[in-house]
Amino acid sequence: MEEEKFKLLRRFQYSSEAIIYQGKLESNGIEVYLRDNNIVDSNPLYSNAVGGVKLFVQTEDFDKATEILGDISLYSVDDDNQPIKCPKCGAEQVEMETSIDGVKSFFRVVFLGAFALLFSKYKYQCQKCKTEFN
């Protein structure tokens, strides 16, 4: 039985995420193959239906690629590249979210359209205790 040439490394909701990881791996000399990125790019709502954008690497590079991507933090970091900690529980599993709050933001979106994103605020949410903070 012939061994598979490529092995699935990760899945992503959007192709933009996959392209960032692709660049990181290719800069380290690892060949990358993306699958279903054109389907997701044509209509992002199809992402869940097809299982997202799939990033494959050659089987012999799988362990090296896993190690390289393991060095990339999945969570938010501050300006000094240190993990942001939750003020409530101290966990480092914090993700940044865009917050559009209240009636003011609704009217911004209605009247300004895409420019409303310029007025949006950033908040952080702890993935452990679900606390939101600025």
Side-chain angles (χ1 to χ4, degrees):
M1 183 175 216
E2 186 177 321
E3 186 177 343
E4 295 290 324
K5 183 173 175 149
F6 285 91
K7 188 171 181 180
L8 177 65
L9 182 64
R10 297 240 174 115
R11 295 173 190 260
F12 301 93
Q13 184 74 26
Y14 302 107
S15 63
S16 56
E17 297 168 311
I19 290 168
I20 292 169
Y21 286 91
Q22 177 185 16
K24 177 69 173 174
L25 292 171
E26 287 179 347
S27 70
N28 283 283
I30 296 176
E31 186 178 350
V32 175
Y33 168 70
L34 296 179
R35 195 167 92 192
D36 295 330
N37 55 318
N38 292 328
I39 293 171
V40 173
D41 286 345
S42 66
N43 188 342
L45 297 176
Y46 293 160
S47 186
N48 287 338
V50 299
V53 177
K54 295 157 197 79
L55 186 140
F56 289 86
V57 295
Q58 291 186 1
T59 304
E60 61 267 11
D61 292 333
F62 184 80
D63 292 333
K64 182 179 176 186
T66 302
E67 182 180 328
I68 290 168
L69 295 187
D71 292 340
I72 300 172
S73 175
L74 298 176
Y75 301 105
S76 297
V77 293
D78 62 15
D79 293 336
D80 297 322
N81 206 26
Q82 298 300 313
I84 295 175
K85 295 183 180 181
C86 174
K88 183 175 180 183
C89 70
E92 295 179 351
Q93 293 84 11
V94 174
E95 291 183 354
M96 184 172 66
E97 297 181 342
T98 302
S99 172
I100 297 178
D101 56 337
V103 176
K104 287 182 185 177
S105 293
F106 173 75
F107 285 111
R108 286 179 187 154
V109 171
V110 170
F111 293 113
L112 299 175
F115 293 110
L117 296 176
L118 297 174
F119 300 106
S120 62
K121 297 178 183 177
Y122 291 104
K123 287 186 178 182
Y124 295 96
Q125 182 179 29
C126 176
Q127 298 301 303
K128 189 173 181 182
C129 69
K130 304 299 182 200
T131 299
E132 289 187 2
F133 59 95
N134 292 332

